[in-house]
Amino acid sequence: MKRRHNPILTFLFAGLILLFTGGPVVLSLIGSVVPDRILLNSDAGLFDEGINFETYRYVFTGELPAAYLTEGANRAMISDAARQVPRSLWNSTVVAFAAMVLNLLLGAPAAFLFARYAFPGKKISFLFLILSPLVPTVALVTPIYMSLQAVGLVGTQLGIILVHTAKALPFTVLILSVFFRKMPAELFEAAMLDHCSRFQAFTRIAVPLALPSIGATGLFAFMLSYSEYMFSMVLSGDAETRPVSVVMAALARNTDVSWSLLNTGIFIAIVPTLLLVALIWRFAVEDLLGGSVKG
């Protein structure tokens, strides 16, 4: 007998998940448009003075907020690191997008081979691939830095892209191989009878059927690269190539920084990921959860 789901519990747990994931985003947005004198004053309402976009104007134009132009104002609360947010945001978007594309170009064919074909060393190579993320990042920083320094890629976006691609590639191969393995074998047997090569079977059959899975995996690779900090900090150079995670860490370490300015930087930093999720949600995630690939 099939058990009925309780809609109240479903909405309750969905609401808790939404509060946990969306609450910090809403709080950072509110904190970015409310001046510090109101934000830190328990006797005043948050929107008594209306919303204020002076911190956004400072981040993008360098114009100081009016509150810090008055005599005796604490100028230390305005950090120059916030001015690097727009440039670092573009850097992180370029790096994460490039890492995502490379992950799909390299990971999807590799996952297809691991899932559908047998070849010498398959088990050991797949085991090595999926266990490689278990190596602590700290243990890899020095050898990777020395390797990239030897080829002149330290302080360049290309160096960070290559490292981020290598870091996300095991997850890409593992996740996509599961979906490729679930596809009916009859489809590929029919393709072989029609004289399709392995590459044609991959591009004409596997990829179209797995597009939702590929899209979701690409989103994962993008997010992993966009939020990565350790290698970005070590391998990035000056402000021209610095990713947003490094800039935000520098901004957060300033104990005197304005809370409103800090929240502005946080909200600006998460906007690209919000836009990306909104753009591909219907295409990738809904189809993926709906079980577009059935074995």
Side-chain angles (χ1 to χ4, degrees), residues 114-270:
F114 277 116
R116 309 302 311 186
Y117 298 101
F119 53 88
K122 173 182 175 179
K123 291 185 178 180
I124 189 65
S125 59
F126 190 73
L127 183 64
F128 175 79
L129 188 68
I130 63 175
L131 291 182
S132 59
L134 299 180
V135 180
T137 301
V138 176
L140 299 174
V141 168
T142 300
I144 287 179
Y145 180 88
M146 294 177 66
S147 300
L148 292 181
Q149 188 180 44
V151 294
L153 291 180
V154 172
T156 66
Q157 286 187 342
L158 179 59
I160 301 176
I161 289 170
L162 294 177
V163 173
H164 286 186
T165 300
K167 188 173 182 179
L169 195 57
F171 296 100
T172 301
V173 174
L174 177 62
I175 295 171
L176 289 181
S177 64
V178 172
F179 291 99
F180 287 139
R181 193 176 296 116
K182 289 181 179 180
M183 293 180 178
E186 292 80 5
L187 292 175
F188 301 99
E189 292 172 359
M192 294 298 106
L193 292 175
D194 289 337
H195 306 289
C196 284
S197 64
R198 293 180 178 181
F199 181 75
Q200 289 174 327
F202 169 69
T203 56
R204 297 181 181 182
I205 298 175
V207 170
L209 289 176
L211 273 181
S213 306
I214 293 173
T217 307
L219 174 62
F220 174 80
F222 182 95
M223 298 288 289
L224 193 64
S225 172
Y226 188 84
S227 60
E228 200 279 327
Y229 172 70
M230 180 68 74
F231 287 114
S232 298
M233 178 188 68
V234 174
L235 299 176
S236 61
D238 53 18
E240 293 298 315
T241 59
R242 201 168 293 155
V244 71
S245 57
V246 179
V247 172
M248 290 306 303
L251 187 62
R253 284 197 298 267
N254 186 347
T255 56
D256 295 325
V257 71
S258 160
W259 279 100
S260 180
L261 185 62
L262 179 60
N263 279 293
T264 299
I266 292 172
F267 187 75
I268 293 174
I270 62 179

Side-chain angles (χ1 to χ4, degrees), residues 26-50 52 55 68 77 257-264:
V26 175
L27 289 177
S28 65
L29 174 60
I30 294 175
S32 68
V33 296
V34 176
D36 286 351
R37 61 181 180 276
I38 302 297
L39 195 63
L40 303 177
N41 186 358
S42 59
D43 296 329
L46 282 179
F47 300 106
D48 284 349
E49 297 186 9
N52 190 308
T55 51
Y68 299 98
M77 296 181 70
V257 71
S258 160
W259 279 100
S260 180
L261 185 62
L262 179 60
N263 279 293
T264 299

Side-chain angles (χ1 to χ4, degrees), residues 74-97:
N74 185 7
R75 298 288 182 87
M77 296 181 70
I78 297 296
S79 172
D80 287 337
R83 295 294 320 284
Q84 300 177 16
V85 170
R87 177 65 186 182
S88 65
L89 193 65
W90 173 252
N91 292 338
S92 286
T93 302
V94 170
V95 169
F97 184 78

